[in-house]
Amino acid sequence: MLLLLGLTAAMSATALVIGLLGWAPDPPEPARPLTLGEGERLAAMRVTNLRDLRAGVRVTAGADAARTELVG
């Protein structure tokens, strides 16, 4: 019984490896260009995020004169 289970596991693993090596996903569709309105909204969002520090990192280490700030 143990030999039969081991043989079944080995055959399953072999079939899985052969199946995965022979399969390739379909290539993705090319991205469409942004419309003028979408480009303007995206640019405005990036400026707002940069100005308001919504996207990025802000780290403050130390206190008073020894304080170091990292904004990125």
Side-chain angles (χ1 to χ4, degrees):
M1 184 63 140
L2 186 57
L3 181 61
L4 183 60
L5 288 174
L7 184 60
T8 302
M11 288 176 48
S12 296
T14 303
L16 178 63
V17 169
I18 290 171
L20 288 175
L21 290 177
W23 176 80
D26 295 334
E29 295 180 13
R32 67 171 177 79
L34 294 177
T35 65
L36 183 60
E38 290 171 335
E40 289 174 354
R41 286 191 300 272
L42 180 59
M45 179 193 69
R46 287 179 175 167
V47 168
T48 300
N49 285 345
L50 182 63
R51 182 189 63 222
D52 296 345
L53 297 174
R54 291 183 186 170
V57 176
R58 184 178 191 125
V59 177
T60 303
D64 300 327
R67 184 172 76 186
T68 302
E69 291 189 7
L70 170 67
V71 179

